[in-house]
Amino acid sequence: MLWDRCRDQFTLAQWLKGRIYERRSDLSPDGKYMIYFAMNGHWSSETKGSWTAISRAPWLRAIALFSKGDCWHGGGLFTGDRAYWLNDGYGHCLLQDASEVHRDTRYQVLESYGGECPGVYYLRLQRDGWTYLQRDQLAKRKHLDIFEKPLKNGWMLRKIAHAEVGAPPGKGCYWDEHELEHLTAGVLLKFPTWEWADWDRNRLVWAAEGCLYTGYLRSHQLKDMTLIYDFNDLKFEPRCAPY
């Protein structure tokens, strides 16, 4: 769907009968294109069951399409309004190209975070103003990575990115929780149910339990918390892209 953040209006687009790896996906800076990695398990199909696509946001119909055939690497990042980096890894096969976007072959990954979701997600976070602080190893196959983003008036938004085998019910192997800390007032607010959060101009926005919310930081508190969209009642319906 398309989110008009100025008016908090939403335009419904397409569904996918499969899995979109949102942590390996990205939106172009001008909001007109998106790159996404998806899997439907149809391994004998033209896309080999998994693929990377570039589409016109918020639609899923590909204008550029790369078959993958497995779930290592895949997806990518936009390096400009029309340029993208392909998270190639073990390799894609070009099925369809588009003249309106082009692959950025000069982009260099400064830090590698492996062949799964953090390999794109952590790069995207740092590009978008998050600072990577540290990794805490909790067990053999369980760790968390901590990111921070400074907000206004002394506030800090902290993202705790978990990666583990045997995650809690309702979580995937990669999941996030968040904290707000006012550094001088000594206020720490924990939000373990927030699946996503970020700063939008002069407000905080976050997603939790299938809903999207907004709120404002005032007097060392998070105030005026408002539900702006509840996604829980949405049901599949076939929709064709208008291109």
Side-chain angles (χ1 to χ4, degrees):
M1 62 179 59
L2 188 67
W3 176 16
D4 180 340
R5 298 185 351 260
C6 293
R7 295 175 292 178
D8 285 335
Q9 294 181 349
F10 296 82
T11 302
L12 299 182
Q14 287 178 294
W15 295 75
L16 176 74
K17 291 183 177 180
R19 165 79 162 94
I20 292 179
Y21 290 75
E22 75 286 349
R23 293 170 187 252
R24 305 186 208 184
S25 306
D26 194 23
L27 192 67
S28 64
D30 63 4
K32 292 185 178 180
Y33 297 93
M34 63 180 178
I35 183 170
Y36 66 91
F37 181 60
M39 185 269 286
N40 63 8
H42 297 170
W43 307 115
S44 60
S45 67
E46 184 181 24
T47 61
K48 301 178 183 178
S50 64
W51 65 95
T52 296
I54 292 98
S55 65
R56 296 173 188 161
W59 304 93
L60 296 174
R61 182 183 175 185
I63 59 172
L65 180 62
F66 301 83
S67 64
K68 190 69 174 68
D70 57 45
C71 291
W72 293 108
H73 299 87
L77 296 171
F78 277 94
T79 61
D81 287 340
R82 301 293 180 271
Y84 64 91
W85 164 69
L86 183 66
N87 182 33
D88 205 21
Y90 288 107
H92 290 79
C93 178
L94 177 63
L95 297 180
Q96 176 180 319
D97 209 351
S99 60
E100 55 195 281
V101 293
H102 65 274
R103 184 174 174 181
D104 186 346
T105 58
R106 295 181 295 176
Y107 177 78
Q108 296 293 319
V109 175
L110 298 179
E111 187 71 34
S112 175
Y113 298 101
E116 294 193 356
C117 293
V120 176
Y121 183 46
Y122 289 2
L123 297 175
R124 193 179 79 207
L125 287 175
Q126 292 174 83
R127 181 201 65 189
D128 294 344
W130 293 85
T131 298
Y132 180 46
L133 292 185
Q134 67 189 58
R135 169 169 293 187
D136 292 344
Q137 192 72 41
L138 306 179
K140 183 178 180 180
R141 296 184 178 180
K142 182 176 182 180
H143 66 260
L144 55 86
D145 295 288
I146 300 175
F147 296 81
E148 286 186 344
K149 176 178 279 194
L151 308 182
K152 67 175 187 178
N153 300 328
W155 283 98
M156 184 71 73
L157 177 60
R158 185 171 298 117
K159 182 184 295 288
I160 303 168
H162 293 260
E164 61 182 303
V165 174
K171 307 290 186 183
C173 59
Y174 300 108
W175 59 280
D176 295 349
E177 56 183 326
H178 296 80
E179 297 176 352
L180 280 169
E181 184 174 7
H182 195 284
L183 302 177
T184 57
V187 175
L188 178 62
L189 307 175
K190 296 186 177 184
F191 302 98
T193 63
W194 287 12
E195 300 173 50
W196 168 85
D198 216 324
W199 187 250
D200 176 29
R201 294 160 297 171
N202 65 341
R203 64 180 185 171
L204 196 68
V205 287
W206 67 93
E209 299 177 335
C211 297
L212 186 63
Y213 298 88
T214 183
Y216 295 86
L217 296 172
R218 297 181 178 134
S219 303
H220 302 161
Q221 298 180 50
L222 178 59
K223 294 187 173 183
D224 302 325
M225 292 177 281
T226 304
L227 170 69
I228 56 177
Y229 206 96
D230 185 341
F231 304 94
N232 286 289
D233 292 334
L234 294 179
K235 299 183 184 302
F236 177 86
E237 57 179 292
R239 290 175 176 264
C240 294
Y243 59 88

